[in-house]
Structures are given as C-alpha cells and as structure tokens.
Amino acid sequence: MKFFKKLSIRIQVMMIGLIIVAMVPFIVLNAYKQSSELIIDQNTQYNKELIAIMKQRISSNYSEISELMVNLGYDATVQNFLAERDDLKIYELAKKVESVMGVIKNTNPDILDISVVSNTGKVVSLKGTITDVYDTENIPEQDGAVHYAGFRKGSPTLDRDKFLFSMNIFSLGNRIPYGDNAGFMMIGLDVRSINKEIEKYPRLAGTNFYLFDNRDLVYSNSSQDEHLIQLINGPLFNKDQDHMVLETNAGARYIVQSHVLPEIGGKIVTATPISLLTKGLQPLKTKSYILVVFMLLIISIPYSILMMNLLKPLSKLMTFMKQLKTGNLNVLHSKVRLEGYAEIEMISNEFNTMLQRINGLTNQLVQSDTQLYQSELEKQRLQYAFLQSQINPHFLSNTLDTMKGIAISQGSRETYEMAGALSRMLRYSIKGGDEVSLGEELQIVNAYITIYQIRFSGRFTYGLVCPEEFLPLLIPKMIIQPIVENALTHGLETLGEGGAVHIHVHTNDNGDLVVMVKDNGIGMSSERLEQLNHLLHTEGKDSILNGHIGVANVHHRIQFKYGSAYGLRLKSETGKGTEVTLIFPCILPNGTSANK
C-alpha cells in the first residue's frame, strides 16, 4: 500500500484501469465455474431422484417376491407335494404345483423361474433350470425368511440374467412334523426389470448406471470402463454417498453417486462424465474471451483521453485529501477548488459541502463524547466511593461484645490482644490512600484472624504462603480481609471443630498477582454458586441493592481500578469448602508494572 501511494496519479489510474479490465475475465471464469457447478448439481439431483425410484422398484419387487414365496411355500398343494411319498401322487401334485406357479408368473412377468425342492430331492421347476436350484440349495438360512441367493448370468439364446431369491419351507403338520424343514423354494427375477425402469426416464449427459450385488457387478447400461468399475466397487462406495469426483487412468473425470440396496446386499452407482456436462459451455467461454479483447480495444483510446483531462484536477484533489489524512481538523475549514469539466466542478462543490458537514458533525461528536466520558467517570467515581464505604458494622459490634464478655469473666491477655488487633484494624481502615502494599494488607488479615482465633479458640487453623518478593506489590486497601471474613463467618462458624483457612500468593502464566483464599467449610450448592457468579457480572449498584456487599464489593473495586481482565473467581462445592481467587496486576511501589 505504501508503494502504491508513492506512484504518480497517472500510473495509479492506469493500474486501476488494468485491474478493472482484469476483472472481466475473472468474472467470466467465475460465471463459467458457477454454471458448471449448477449443471452438475442439477444432474446430481436428477440422478438422486432416479436412483430413489430404482431403489423403490427393487424394494417393491423384493416385497412382492417375498409375499409370493411365502404364499406359495405354505399353499396346501405345495405342502402336500413336499410331504407325499407315493410316486404317482407326487407326479399329480407336481402338475398342480406347476399350475399354481404358472398363475403366479402370469401375475408378475418379471419372474423368470420358480422351483420347489423337497428335503427328499423332489423338484418342481417352472422352466426346469435345475442348475440354479442346486446352486441355491445350501444358501437359505434356517429361519423361513426370504433371502437373496445371488446373481446368475443368462445365456444369449436360452436364458436371461436374473436375481435368485430362496426360502426354506417348514411343514404345517401334514405327514411331516409341524415346524420341521420340508424343503426350500427358489424364484428367479429378471434383471431387465431394472433396465425397464431406467428407460422410462431420460438420462442426463450420458449418465452410466451400475448395479452391484454383494459379490460383483450384475448390470450396467453402458460400455464398461474397468478402472472406473474397480474404483466404484471399493469400500468407499459401500454406503449412501453424495456426489464425488473420480478420475480414471485415462484422465476421464466423473461425478459419482452411490446408494446401498439392503435387499440384495449391494448398491446402485451412477457415473456422469464431467466433460459431457460442460460441453455446451465451451462455446460460451470462447465467445466471452473474444468479447474481452474487443472491449480492451474499444476502451483504450477514450480511456487515455479521459485520463489526461482528469489528471490535473485529480492531482489537486489527491493533494488536498492527503492533507485531510493527516488528522488536522483545521483543514476541514478550508475548501478545494477544481477547474475542468462540469462534473469535476460538481465534485468540487459537493466535496466542499461534505467537508462542512463533516466539520459540524465532528464538533458535535467531540462534544457528545466529552459529555458522555465525563458522565461515565462521575458515575464510576460515585459507585467506587459507595463501594468503599461498605464495611460490615456487625464485625465491630460482635468483637466489642466478645471483648466485654472476656473482660468480665477473665480479665486475661486475650482482651489485650483483641484490643490491639482491633486498634490496628481501625487505624488501617482510616489510613489515607487507596493502595497499600500486599505486606500491609496481610498484616491486617493476620490481626483479623487473631481476633477470630480468640473468639473461637481452637476451632480453626490459619496458614499463609507468600514469597517475600511479592510483599512490596501494591493492591487496593481492605481487599483481602472481606474474603477472609466470608470464609470465617459463612464457611467455618457453623462447622465446629477442625476448620482451616489458607492463603496462598503466587503469579499466573500472564505474570499477574494471584491471591487464593481457601477454606474447608460447609461450601455452597451449585445453585448458590451460579447465583453469585452471575452477581459478579452485574453492575456494582445492583449487587449492593441485592444485599451482597462483600464478594461483589471486592470484585467491582478490582475491576473499576484495573479493568475487566482482573477481579475475583469463585469455586465451591457443598461440604468441601470454598476457594476464592483474587487477580491483580503486579504493580511496584513506584507505580510501574512488574511485568514490563
């Protein structure tokens, strides 16, 4: 950008013109690409709908075949044939079974053959294709359901390609015990029924259809590309797959989709050559490039004349705009005067009018921002002063009552220690200045702990871990004591014996000062913890009105002083205590940051 700004206006305008001209072929290519994608999407959607119809056809055929096989297998004539032992009666029953098979075939012309075989080897076949019968003899599962038995390639003169379906037949109790296996049956379904379904719909751009069963390719409506078949018969397409681009060894690229056929354990795959889809767009692409060249020739001469006539006023305008970019508000009071075409003079007048409006709006904005900033500062000052004044008076009252009770009953040294600690705290609270060293704050915490240990002798222990190099760092006054007070009053007073409060001071990965106050008290429920965490994200005034002074006071004081990156974090669990973490910037006594 800096290099571009140093160029002359002539070169800049020429470069802009070249960029505009270069955008034309980009737009053409982008339009060509979008058109190609649209055609591919339309073809993909059409193929998806066509495959859905084919899947429905196969599913319907399977349902019809299943129903026919169940009805035929448990027909009384077939049951008698399977159970009969007399050869003469077997012959008569076989003719009746063939008659029933003929009726079934007439109702479904896609059926090529029906065979019934008893468990004693008796066979009735509509066409007498015994090879298919014995090939499928050991295929049926012993569950009485219809199963796909495989694909059989037909001969050019005698037979057609077919799908085989088989089913075990169980006895209904006629001479053979009820439920025993009486034989099995096989039906051959013409594969051309799929082709008939495809021929009802026009194909888009030479789409190829491939039908696979659980073993191999059983049907294709086009010449076979062996490498393409090898690719689409891989495990990647053994599930419903949206369109994917495949490239063969010959360099041909196809849009491929696959859809599973659970009835035969196979799949249908469509492959559409991309070259055929986009073939109609090539003339449009060529014409577009010819148009681009013609546009360059037409635009170049008038563009050059126009550029020269605009060069001087534009140069003057650029100079004036550079002055505006310096941020000098006094430039807004001046005007730019451009001489040239009527449009240039109009630009000059409109530009000067705009400068006047900008100047007026800028003054209004500065005044509004100044007033808003002052109002916000006043609001924060009042909130901060209000928060600082919130000291729990119950602490002083309870301490004085305890001191009087001890003085009356004992007159011991504890009264002296409590009075001394209380005196230190009072002097500390009225001490001038908002910031104190961490060491001073910890001394007041120790004084507060001393008072509580005398009040509740032996009921809790106190521990402090703070490296000496952290003691001079500055923090807000009376910022740790309220947290310790909460730990003692809300966490340990109702606990009885065995309470503990620990303070650990360290720095985090960002170099910030971290003061962690942890107790083993009664803790709080997850609902209460969520309520308090929500309270920390509420304006300080709202939290005070809700009566939650301690935690919210500390959090908002820290954020008012140092920003939203600092403050207070809460962790607690019922019966396992509470952990409060205070995060401050590391500020040295001279006011500089220790992180720099």
Side-chain angles (χ1 to χ4, degrees):
M1 186 64 183
K2 292 181 179 180
F3 172 76
F4 184 76
K5 289 168 63 177
K6 294 179 181 179
L7 298 176
S8 65
I9 298 177
R10 181 190 301 273
I11 297 178
Q12 290 185 32
V13 174
M14 290 181 62
M15 291 180 64
I16 293 173
L18 291 175
I19 292 173
I20 294 174
V21 172
M23 289 178 63
V24 176
F26 172 78
I27 294 174
V28 171
L29 289 176
N30 190 55
Y32 174 79
K33 180 181 177 182
Q34 291 184 356
S35 300
S36 301
E37 292 176 350
L38 178 61
I39 293 175
I40 291 174
D41 289 341
Q42 290 177 343
N43 178 82
T44 300
Q45 183 62 31
Y46 182 86
N47 287 341
K48 185 181 296 184
E49 295 174 357
L50 186 57
I51 290 177
I53 295 174
M54 294 171 61
K55 289 181 63 176
Q56 180 63 31
R57 174 70 175 177
I58 293 175
S59 177
S60 177
N61 284 343
Y62 178 79
S63 299
E64 292 176 5
I65 292 300
S66 298
E67 183 177 356
L68 289 175
M69 293 181 75
V70 171
N71 291 336
L72 179 61
Y74 295 98
D75 182 79
T77 303
V78 175
Q79 287 283 321
N80 290 333
F81 169 76
L82 295 176
E84 186 59 54
R85 297 293 184 269
D86 184 84
D87 291 339
L88 180 59
K89 292 182 178 181
I90 289 174
Y91 177 77
E92 295 174 352
L93 290 171
K95 291 298 183 180
K96 294 181 180 180
V97 172
E98 288 181 2
S99 177
V100 175
M101 291 178 177
V103 173
I104 292 175
K105 186 180 186 308
N106 290 333
T107 61
N108 192 333
D110 292 332
I111 295 177
L112 297 179
D113 192 13
I114 304 176
S115 300
V116 176
V117 183
S118 71
N119 55 9
T120 60
K122 296 173 294 183
V123 180
V124 177
S125 179
L126 196 61
K127 292 187 64 177
T129 312
I130 305 301
T131 303
D132 291 339
V133 174
Y134 288 111
D135 284 347
T136 60
E137 182 176 4
N138 296 322
I139 292 178
E141 301 289 342
Q142 299 298 322
D143 54 5
V146 177
H147 293 275
Y148 175 69
F151 167 77
R152 293 296 180 272
K153 185 73 174 177
S155 63
T157 58
L158 299 178
D159 202 359
R160 296 197 293 267
D161 297 346
K162 54 182 172 291
F163 294 120
L164 299 181
F165 296 89
S166 60
M167 181 189 76
N168 278 298
I169 303 175
F170 297 103
S171 173
L172 295 179
N174 185 11
R175 301 183 185 178
I176 299 176
Y178 180 85
D180 286 359
N181 193 327
F184 76 95
M185 66 183 303
M186 179 274 297
I187 285 184
L189 188 65
D190 192 355
V191 175
R192 290 195 306 178
S193 62
I194 304 299
N195 191 27
K196 294 176 183 177
E197 194 68 30
I198 295 176
E199 290 175 352
K200 294 180 182 179
Y201 303 90
R203 288 188 294 159
L204 291 178
T207 299
N208 302 326
F209 292 89
Y210 299 93
L211 178 62
F212 296 85
D213 67 356
N214 54 3
R215 296 181 181 86
D216 205 351
L217 176 68
V218 299
Y219 170 76
S220 174
N221 66 340
S222 63
S223 59
Q224 299 182 4
D225 186 330
E226 295 298 332
H227 185 241
L228 176 62
I229 294 175
Q230 182 180 1
L231 291 175
I232 64 180
N233 199 23
L236 180 62
F237 295 97
N238 288 340
K239 58 182 180 180
D240 287 344
Q241 182 73 263
D242 201 359
H243 68 276
M244 178 182 295
V245 178
L246 285 184
E247 185 172 349
T248 64
N249 291 335
R253 300 172 71 241
Y254 293 85
I255 299 294
V256 181
Q257 295 174 270
S258 67
H259 301 267
V260 297
L261 299 173
E263 292 84 1
I264 63 174
K267 58 190 175 185
I268 297 177
V269 182
T270 64
T272 305
I274 296 180
S275 59
L276 293 179
L277 290 175
T278 59
K279 183 177 180 181
L281 297 177
Q282 292 299 330
L284 176 61
K285 185 178 181 181
T286 303
K287 292 179 181 179
S288 299
Y289 280 115
I290 294 175
L291 179 61
V292 170
V293 175
F294 182 74
M295 288 176 60
L296 291 175
L297 295 176
I298 294 298
I299 294 175
S300 58
I301 296 176
Y303 181 80
S304 299
I305 297 175
L306 183 63
M307 184 182 67
M308 293 300 298
N309 290 333
L310 293 176
L311 183 60
K312 184 176 180 179
L314 284 179
S315 177
K316 187 175 181 179
L317 179 61
M318 292 293 294
T319 302
F320 188 81
M321 292 178 67
K322 288 180 180 179
Q323 295 177 359
L324 289 176
K325 290 172 63 177
T326 60
N328 185 2
L329 297 180
N330 293 326
V331 181
L332 295 175
H333 300 285
S334 60
K335 294 183 179 181
V336 59
R337 301 186 182 276
L338 302 179
E339 298 178 357
Y341 295 137
E343 289 80 0
I344 295 296
E345 294 181 357
M346 182 180 296
I347 291 175
S348 175
N349 295 332
E350 293 295 330
F351 190 78
N352 291 329
T353 301
M354 182 185 67
L355 289 179
Q356 293 176 0
R357 294 185 63 186
I358 291 176
N359 185 35
L361 292 174
T362 301
N363 292 333
Q364 293 179 12
L365 182 61
V366 170
Q367 292 176 1
S368 299
D369 286 347
T370 302
Q371 293 175 358
L372 182 62
Y373 181 69
Q374 291 176 349
S375 176
E376 185 65 24
L377 285 178
E378 181 64 17
K379 176 183 175 182
Q380 291 192 5
R381 187 189 66 79
L382 293 174
Q383 289 181 339
Y384 185 54
F386 180 69
L387 289 174
Q388 282 187 308
S389 67
Q390 305 304 304
I391 299 178
N392 190 351
H394 297 291
F395 167 69
L396 296 178
S397 176
N398 292 339
T399 302
L400 292 175
D401 289 342
T402 303
M403 290 173 61
K404 289 191 294 184
I406 294 175
I408 293 173
S409 62
Q410 296 182 4
S412 66
R413 184 176 178 80
E414 283 86 349
T415 305
Y416 171 79
E417 292 180 355
M418 291 182 69
L422 180 58
S423 175
R424 287 193 297 273
M425 292 188 65
L426 289 175
R427 287 195 302 270
Y428 181 77
S429 64
I430 62 176
K431 178 182 178 181
D434 177 58
E435 287 185 326
V436 295
S437 68
L438 175 62
E440 291 179 289
E441 181 72 10
L442 291 177
Q443 288 178 0
I444 294 305
V445 171
N446 288 336
Y448 184 81
I449 290 292
T450 298
I451 294 173
Y452 250 86
Q453 285 180 330
I454 295 174
R455 290 182 59 197
F456 304 99
S457 178
R459 289 178 56 181
F460 71 93
T461 59
Y462 167 65
L464 171 64
V465 177
C466 178
E468 290 187 4
E469 60 267 23
F470 297 150
L471 295 179
L473 298 179
L474 298 180
I475 63 172
K477 183 173 66 176
M478 295 296 288
I479 204 72
I480 302 177
Q481 182 272 335
I483 304 303
V484 175
E485 180 179 352
N486 277 346
L488 294 174
T489 57
H490 298 297
L492 300 182
E493 279 193 7
T494 59
L495 183 65
E497 302 294 332
V501 177
H502 293 279
I503 299 178
H504 182 216
V505 182
H506 61 281
T507 55
N508 59 18
D509 294 337
N510 297 326
D512 298 323
L513 179 65
V514 177
V515 179
M516 185 177 67
V517 180
K518 184 175 182 181
D519 67 76
N520 64 344
I522 60 174
M524 65 182 75
S525 64
S526 58
E527 293 80 6
R528 176 62 173 167
L529 180 62
E530 181 179 357
Q531 179 185 6
L532 290 180
N533 281 323
H534 174 73
L535 183 64
L536 296 183
H537 296 86
T538 307
E539 289 294 332
K541 183 177 179 181
D542 294 339
S543 62
I544 291 172
L545 292 177
N546 288 333
H548 304 287
I549 298 174
V551 172
N553 183 6
V554 170
H555 179 71
H556 291 301
R557 282 182 62 194
I558 296 174
Q559 290 204 332
F560 282 160
K561 191 170 186 65
Y562 303 119
S564 59
Y566 304 95
L568 184 145
R569 310 290 185 266
L570 284 173
K571 289 173 58 177
S572 184
E573 188 174 348
T574 303
K576 295 186 178 180
T578 302
E579 179 181 300
V580 181
T581 302
L582 297 90
I583 303 175
F584 310 92
C586 287
I587 300 177
L588 298 173
N590 58 8
T592 61
S593 174
N595 295 332
K596 296 182 178 180

